[in-house]
Amino acid sequence: MATLGKRVRVIALGQQAAGDDAVGLAVLEWLRTRHAVSRDLLEEMELMVAPEASALVPLLETTAEVVVVDAMLDLPPGEVREFAPEDLARGGPQPMSSHGVGVGQAIALARLLAPETVSPSIRIVAVTVMRPERYEYGLSPVVAAAVPRAVERIFELLMRG
């Protein structure tokens, strides 16, 4: 039976009523219900939701490894990308935020406010999306097809440590 041998906190960002912005929530749901993982492996994972990036700040306070899953405005839609917080600090494409504070800013703020208690290992897995529509439920077909690939990327990065 495969195990990670460590605690992992997976935090999904997104809003159900914003179309493809809910991709992080769909990844979490896939992890909970459809991914063929052993019960032991799933028990090592703490699955959490943050409706927007500023809600990440207290959730990053853990000794566990953290993976943040979010949508990212970029083309083509449906690609899965992986970032370190330092990559976000350098600029370029960013996971999206509809509330002014981005993922990179939230991580930097958490590290500033609680440097001793923020996870020393944070990674971001993002799925590229076109601008989501408010009050639209469900993912576009191309973004929905990326959900299992995002789950696999999460497991790949956790297994390589």
Side-chain angles (χ1 to χ4, degrees):
M1 227 172 259
T3 67
L4 296 171
K6 58 189 168 190
R7 295 289 307 159
V8 175
R9 180 175 285 181
V10 180
I11 307 169
L13 274 90
Q15 301 282 332
Q16 285 290 357
D20 285 342
D21 183 46
V23 69
L25 306 176
V27 168
L28 223 59
E29 185 62 21
W30 187 278
L31 281 168
R32 274 193 192 110
T33 62
R34 288 186 250 170
H35 196 273
V37 297
S38 73
R39 173 74 42 206
D40 292 338
L41 186 60
L42 198 53
E43 286 177 4
E44 292 175 312
M45 302 178 86
E46 186 178 13
L47 306 178
M48 306 181 92
V49 173
E52 43 84 24
S54 65
L56 274 176
V57 174
L59 300 180
L60 296 172
E61 293 184 33
T62 179
T63 57
E65 202 168 315
V66 172
V67 178
V68 177
V69 186
D70 198 8
M72 181 176 86
L73 290 174
D74 204 8
L75 295 174
E79 287 190 356
V80 177
R81 301 191 184 156
E82 177 188 333
F83 300 95
E86 297 73 28
D87 298 329
L88 301 180
R90 288 187 208 110
Q94 301 272 324
M96 59 184 277
S97 171
S98 58
H99 298 276
V101 174
V103 171
Q105 293 166 317
I107 294 169
L109 180 59
R111 286 178 170 166
L112 181 67
L113 294 173
E116 308 84 28
T117 58
V118 169
S119 174
S121 177
I122 302 171
R123 298 294 294 179
I124 299 100
V125 172
V127 176
T128 58
V129 301
M130 294 177 61
R131 184 157 302 281
E133 296 294 325
R134 290 178 56 176
Y135 310 116
E136 181 178 292
Y137 288 86
L139 302 177
S140 65
V142 69
V143 171
V147 169
R149 293 193 317 273
V151 169
E152 290 308 315
R153 180 70 61 93
I154 291 168
F155 281 111
E156 287 169 11
L157 76 90
L158 292 175
M159 292 303 198
R160 71 177 183 241

